[in-house]
């Protein structure tokens, strides 16, 4: 993992140095975010709450992705950013008194480099991120009275240290925004060792920005998003997350998202 991080820093430093002779500007803590988190990918930074109606469970997301440095190149159509990613999502199955008990927790932290090129009616983006992912069973999985783990589940060391490259294309077409992407990732460390080191995913987002007008003077975007994963746990199998809903606020800016989703595949909580 350290070797990959050093290689990334070296490559990006070389690229920035090669561009330094050109007319560039550098921003510390630039506005917004260069590569917006993929909406239907549950391994992206977000803050929110998801309710499962079939069993009344809750999925809690806590996370953020922030650009620390932005480099705008001479043509003002391309931009390189370096940022940090911190996120976690937890499963809550029970509430005892006023305490929300968390059954399982996945944590992610790392960094990313993103490059974007603006064209007349489209935008091409690339992101490389290095992430440490660990998964845990926590207090909601333990029976204190019996002094044992529930349902014969026992915690194991689960870790994935991976590098991921994503290529994304955003197109505006007759008032509709279409975003589609694909990714490949490789894990330098996995536990248990049966997990395959390569993983792949792809997806799309279709946005209708002017379908229903505004709410309290803010834009309302209607969207459909789909994300497909191919992971080996240990055998390769597909996982699909289809969602649709509304975003209040500009599509590429902060806002509130209300949605319904349908997920098929292995349990998204790694433990």
């Amino acid at each position: 993992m350290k070797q990959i991080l050093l290689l990334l820093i070296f490559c990006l430093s070389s690229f920035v140095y090669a561009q330094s002779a050109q007319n560039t500007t550098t921003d510390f803590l630039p506005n917004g975010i260069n590569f917006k988190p993929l909406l239907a990918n549950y391994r992206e930074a977000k803050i929110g709450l998801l309710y499962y109606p079939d069993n009344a469970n809750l999925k809690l997301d806590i996370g953020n992705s922030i650009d620390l440095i932005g480099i705008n190149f001479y043509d003002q159509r391309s931009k390189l950013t370096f940022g940090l990613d911190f996120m976690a999502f937890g499963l809550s199955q029970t509430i005892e008194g006023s305490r929300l008990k968390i059954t399982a927790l996945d944590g992610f932290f790392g960094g990313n480099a993103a490059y974007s090129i603006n064209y007349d009616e489209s935008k091409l983006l690339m992101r490389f991120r290095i992430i440490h992912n660990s998964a845990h069973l926590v207090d909601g999985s333990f029976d204190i009275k019996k002094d044992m783990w529930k349902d014969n589940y026992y915690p194991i060391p689960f870790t994935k240290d991976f590098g991921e490259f994503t290529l994304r294309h955003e197109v505006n077409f007759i008032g509709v925004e279409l975003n589609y992407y694909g990714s490949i990732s490789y894990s330098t460390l996995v536990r248990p060792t049966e997990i395959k080191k390569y993983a792949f995913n792809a997806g799309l987002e279709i946005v209708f920005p002017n379908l229903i007008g505004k709410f309290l003077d803010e834009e309302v975007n209607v969207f459909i998003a789909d994300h497909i994963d191919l992971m080996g746990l240990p055998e390769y199998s597909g996982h699909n997350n289809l969602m649709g809903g509304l975003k209040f606020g500009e599509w590429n800016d902060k806002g509130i998202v209300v949605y319904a989703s349908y997920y098929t595949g292995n349990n998204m909580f790694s433990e």
Side-chain angles (χ1 to χ4, degrees), residues 4-76:
I4 291 181
L5 180 58
L6 290 173
L7 179 61
L8 174 63
I9 293 173
F10 174 79
C11 292
L12 293 176
S13 299
S14 300
F15 179 77
V16 172
Y17 177 78
Q19 295 290 335
S20 61
Q22 302 174 2
N23 183 18
T24 62
T25 59
T26 302
D27 297 324
F28 176 62
L29 298 178
N31 292 328
I33 185 168
N34 194 15
F35 193 105
K36 189 167 67 71
L38 305 172
L39 196 59
N41 184 356
Y42 56 86
R43 292 185 299 276
E44 296 274 357
K46 61 187 71 175
I47 298 175
L49 183 68
L50 183 63
Y51 174 75
Y52 296 96
D54 57 340
N55 54 20
N57 289 349
L58 299 174
K59 176 176 178 282
L60 301 97
D61 283 281
I62 303 173
N64 193 20
S65 181
I66 181 174
D67 289 341
L68 299 178
I69 298 174
I71 302 172
N72 302 286
F73 294 106
Y74 68 100
D75 56 4
Q76 298 300 312

Side-chain angles (χ1 to χ4, degrees), residues 55-261:
N55 54 20
N57 289 349
L58 299 174
K59 176 176 178 282
L60 301 97
D61 283 281
I62 303 173
N64 193 20
S65 181
I66 181 174
D67 289 341
L68 299 178
I69 298 174
I71 302 172
N72 302 286
F73 294 106
Y74 68 100
D75 56 4
Q76 298 300 312
R77 297 168 67 96
S78 55
K79 183 177 184 179
L80 175 66
T81 55
F82 303 92
L84 296 176
D85 299 289
F86 289 88
M87 57 265 196
F89 55 83
L91 173 66
S92 174
Q93 294 180 305
T94 56
I95 299 177
E96 292 186 1
S98 59
R99 186 164 70 96
L100 193 66
K101 300 190 70 175
I102 303 299
T103 301
L105 179 70
D106 271 63
F108 303 79
F109 67 86
N112 72 79
Y115 183 71
S116 62
I117 307 173
N118 287 288
Y119 299 100
D120 291 337
E121 294 185 359
S122 67
K123 187 176 185 179
L124 184 66
L125 302 102
M126 292 166 278
R127 181 185 67 180
F128 181 74
R129 61 177 183 168
I130 296 176
I131 297 291
H132 169 78
N133 169 212
S134 62
H136 313 270
L137 293 180
V138 286
D139 66 326
S141 295
F142 194 78
D143 191 326
I144 297 178
K145 295 179 180 179
K146 296 181 180 180
D147 194 27
M148 62 181 294
W149 293 95
K150 297 178 181 179
D151 301 322
N152 292 320
Y153 290 145
Y154 292 88
I156 61 173
F158 182 97
T159 305
K160 289 184 71 176
D161 291 340
F162 64 92
E164 179 189 68
F165 176 76
T166 302
L167 183 64
R168 174 175 177 172
H169 190 210
E170 301 180 353
V171 183
N172 293 308
F173 181 71
I174 336 176
V176 177
E177 183 173 321
L178 172 64
N179 307 327
Y180 57 94
Y181 58 88
S183 303
I184 181 172
S185 68
Y186 178 78
S187 299
T188 58
L189 171 67
V190 293
R191 291 186 300 180
T193 57
E194 293 84 356
I195 298 173
K196 296 292 190 296
K197 292 190 174 183
Y198 281 99
F200 311 88
N201 64 62
L204 59 83
E205 301 168 357
I206 305 173
V207 188
F208 306 91
N210 302 310
L211 193 61
I212 59 175
K214 293 187 176 184
F215 177 76
L216 297 178
D217 292 328
E218 292 292 338
E219 293 184 9
V220 180
N221 298 276
V222 181
F223 70 88
I224 300 171
D226 191 49
H227 180 85
I228 300 172
D229 276 309
L230 184 63
M231 297 182 290
L233 301 169
E235 300 300 325
Y236 277 101
S237 60
H239 317 271
N240 186 69
N241 188 34
L242 175 65
M243 60 189 296
L246 305 173
K247 178 179 180 180
F248 299 89
E250 293 185 14
W251 180 250
N252 290 313
D253 204 346
K254 64 182 180 181
I256 298 174
V257 177
V258 180
Y259 69 93
S261 69

